[in-house]
Structures are given as structure tokens and as C-alpha cells.
Amino acid sequence: MDLKKIDAPASTVTYNRNEVDAQTNNIYEAISIISRRAEQINSEIKKELIEKLEEFATYNDSLEEIFENKEQIEVSKFYEKLPKPHALAVKEWLDEKIYYRNTEEDNK
């Protein structure tokens, strides 16, 4: 996922209910799909952040010395400024980039 190219809002936005449930005709199903995608995005971002922060990690047994690593701070600030996972998921949903299927309909 390229986080720099995502144009989801960073703050709270009111969405048109009809746009959100247009694909499923059920607002609860749409919200369920969006929330599952938000969980996936959150885990991807968290994994990526941990990997980047581990590059700068210094393992020290002494509690007396604490170093400020400027690169680590910059990486943290970048991830703090990103839109929240639910905003990214809603943007993907409205752009119809999320694939979903109803397994109950598949079984019939």
C-alpha cells in the first residue's frame, strides 16, 4: 500500500448514506465490510511502522542513556499525520476498490 498517494481526509467527514450503501443496498453490511477493511489497513500500517522503527532501534541495557533518534522521530511523525484506517477504508469503499462477496448467496 502506497500511503503517500492516498487522498483520504485526515479529519472527520460526513458522508452521504446513499453513497455508502449503494453497492450493497444495506448500510449495516456496508459498514461491516468497511470495518473489516479498516482492520486490515490498520494491521498493514502497524506492521510497516514496526519494521521501519526497528531499523533505527538501538538496544541498550542501561536505563541511564536514552538517545533521541531524529530519523525515528521523523518516521513516527509521518505515520501520525496519515489518515486514520477507517478513513482510508471508506475512501476505498466509495471508490469501489474493495472486493466483497456474500457467501450466503454463493451457497444457494
Side-chain angles (χ1 to χ4, degrees):
M1 175 185 314
D2 192 5
L3 299 172
K4 293 181 182 178
K5 296 182 180 178
I6 299 172
D7 60 342
S11 62
T12 305
V13 175
T14 303
Y15 294 100
N16 184 350
R17 179 189 167 280
N18 295 328
E19 291 177 11
V20 174
D21 70 358
Q23 296 179 49
T24 60
N25 294 326
N26 186 338
I27 189 70
Y28 301 108
E29 186 176 355
I31 290 173
S32 175
I33 294 167
I34 292 168
S35 69
R36 288 182 185 158
R37 179 61 184 141
E39 289 174 8
Q40 291 173 346
I41 291 170
N42 188 41
S43 65
E44 290 174 18
I45 291 173
K46 185 177 180 180
K47 180 181 174 186
E48 189 175 313
L49 174 62
I50 289 171
E51 288 174 0
K52 287 188 179 184
L53 290 178
E54 283 180 354
E55 293 175 11
F56 305 114
T58 56
Y59 300 102
N60 198 356
D61 292 337
S62 173
L63 294 175
E64 297 168 1
E65 297 180 34
I66 299 175
F67 298 102
E68 281 191 17
N69 190 338
K70 293 193 184 286
E71 293 88 7
Q72 193 174 14
I73 292 170
E74 289 176 20
V75 168
S76 297
K77 284 184 179 180
F78 171 76
Y79 280 93
E80 286 176 2
K81 291 179 183 176
L82 286 177
K84 302 297 180 215
H86 66 272
L88 298 171
V90 170
K91 177 70 175 160
E92 286 183 359
W93 177 254
L94 294 176
D95 292 344
E96 297 183 9
K97 294 182 180 178
I98 297 177
Y99 169 77
Y100 72 96
R101 65 183 183 157
N102 190 337
T103 56
E104 291 177 5
E105 292 176 3
D106 291 346
N107 291 335
K108 292 180 181 178

